[in-house]
Amino acid sequence: MGLLNLVLWVLGAALIAVGYVNARGPYRQYQVLRETDQNLRRYDDWRGGRRDEAAGETGADVMRRVLLQRAQRWAVVALVGAVLLFAGFVVR
């Protein structure tokens, strides 16, 4: 076990932790907004489909997109951390 291995393990574990913690919040909010939209669609279907789909993108649509992008960005950080952690075992 060399110094490089140790550095890669610590850096990888830190990136995984930071990525997970920061992706968790936006992803939860995204799920809540998505469930709310699905409930609204079910209600509108029950009422006869009166929702105007041609109105364009709503603020909730924009927020869902932004939250998903944030969660994906932090998930990539965690993935890079996993790669570094794995590299710590491979590098000699």
Side-chain angles (χ1 to χ4, degrees), residues 4 11 17 24-25 32 44 49-50 55 58-59 63-64 71 79 81 87:
L4 180 61
L11 187 58
R24 186 176 52 180
V32 168
D44 287 337
R50 296 185 178 177
T58 65
M63 191 63 184
R64 265 195 311 275
L79 182 64

Side-chain angles (χ1 to χ4, degrees), residues 31-49:
Q31 291 295 335
V32 168
L33 282 174
R34 199 181 92 200
E35 289 173 10
T36 302
D37 186 54
Q38 289 173 350
N39 286 338
L40 286 172
R41 290 185 192 278
R42 280 194 297 271
Y43 178 72
D44 287 337
D45 288 343
W46 178 75
R47 294 278 308 215

Side-chain angles (χ1 to χ4, degrees), residues 7-86:
V7 169
L8 288 173
W9 292 335
V10 169
L11 187 58
L15 285 177
I16 290 171
V18 168
Y20 173 75
V21 167
N22 287 318
R24 186 176 52 180
Y27 187 71
R28 283 182 184 166
Q29 292 173 337
Y30 168 77
Q31 291 295 335
V32 168
L33 282 174
R34 199 181 92 200
E35 289 173 10
T36 302
D37 186 54
Q38 289 173 350
N39 286 338
L40 286 172
R41 290 185 192 278
R42 280 194 297 271
Y43 178 72
D44 287 337
D45 288 343
W46 178 75
R47 294 278 308 215
R50 296 185 178 177
R51 190 172 184 180
D52 186 17
E53 294 293 334
E57 193 173 49
T58 65
D61 294 333
V62 173
M63 191 63 184
R64 265 195 311 275
R65 188 176 66 241
V66 168
L67 289 171
L68 186 60
Q69 288 172 349
R70 283 183 190 166
Q72 289 171 342
R73 197 173 307 128
W74 285 109
V76 168
V77 169
L79 182 64
V80 168
V83 168
L84 289 178
L85 190 68
F86 179 73

